[in-house]
Amino acid sequence: MAVERTLSIIKPDATRRNLTGAVNAKLEEAGLRIVAQKRLRLTQEQAEAFYAVHKERPFYSDLCDFMTSGPVVVQVLEGEGAVARNREVMGATNPAEAAEGTIRKSFAESIEANSVHGSDSAENAANEIAFFFSGCEIVG
Ligand code: GDP
């Protein structure tokens, strides 16, 4: 499998509970390298643009409010099959359905406040990485 990159976001519920390091430990234990990382507070415009694909979903407005409710940590992860590997270590969207040992099973508060975001395809990963990072900020 090829080495690839994916975008990860540690969401406000996790930064609020000081879990950045705990989430990063799970990512690194899963064989993913954090090759770029920054903490920021999303604006409403940024959250709406980032989640534009979910515009028609009933939870879109709540999701944007949640994502702007506190700091997030945006990161680029690198590794063999990084997109799928990260989705695996994140666990299911709903923590009640997430597998034991996954980030969401261990830390998520609810289906919305579920601690992490991860790109769901290589194509989306490229777009989402470019949304937050310039090339010189990513050091593999
Ligand atoms: P993901 O790829 O596992 O993050 O899941 P989705 O792309 O389907 O949804 C994006 C994000 O929207 C999720 O991570 C949750 O934060 C939120 N979300 C998804 N489903 C629901 C829902 O039914 N209710 C609410 N309030 N939020 C949801």
Side-chain angles (χ1 to χ4, degrees), residues 11 51 54 57 59 62-63 66 87 90-93 104 111-114 116-118 120:
K11 295 184 179 183
Y51 281 113
H54 293 311
R57 314 263 295 262
F59 55 81
D62 282 349
L63 175 60
F66 164 63
R87 297 289 303 184
M90 287 164 61
T93 308
R104 284 166 166 172
I111 191 167
E112 177 178 87
N114 60 4
V116 279
H117 165 85
D120 62 3

Side-chain angles (χ1 to χ4, degrees), residues 11-20 39 66 69-71 109 113:
K11 295 184 179 183
D13 67 287
T15 61
R16 179 171 43 78
R17 288 174 290 149
N18 210 20
L19 292 171
T20 299
R39 180 175 166 106
F66 164 63
S69 68
E109 294 182 317

Side-chain angles (χ1 to χ4, degrees), residues 72-119:
V72 298
V73 177
V74 296
Q75 351 178 258
V76 180
L77 308 179
E78 185 178 85
E80 296 276 323
V83 173
R85 189 79 196 94
N86 185 42
R87 297 289 303 184
E88 210 172 276
V89 70
M90 287 164 61
T93 308
N94 184 349
E97 290 162 13
E100 214 55 56
T102 61
I103 293 169
R104 284 166 166 172
K105 177 70 174 185
S106 303
F107 304 128
E109 294 182 317
S110 67
I111 191 167
E112 177 178 87
N114 60 4
S115 302
V116 279
H117 165 85
S119 309

Side-chain angles (χ1 to χ4, degrees), residues 4-57:
E4 57 185 17
R5 288 175 174 172
T6 190
L7 185 89
S8 164
I9 305 179
I10 303 178
K11 295 184 179 183
D13 67 287
T15 61
R16 179 171 43 78
R17 288 174 290 149
N18 210 20
L19 292 171
T20 299
V23 170
N24 283 351
K26 289 215 179 256
L27 296 173
E28 291 182 343
E29 279 160 22
L32 294 161
R33 304 180 75 83
I34 301 163
V35 295
Q37 176 168 261
K38 57 190 173 191
R39 180 175 166 106
L40 49 89
R41 181 88 181 242
L42 289 176
T43 64
Q44 194 68 24
E45 293 70 28
Q46 284 173 319
E48 287 172 8
F50 185 80
Y51 281 113
V53 292
H54 293 311
K55 229 179 5 233
E56 307 307 328
R57 314 263 295 262

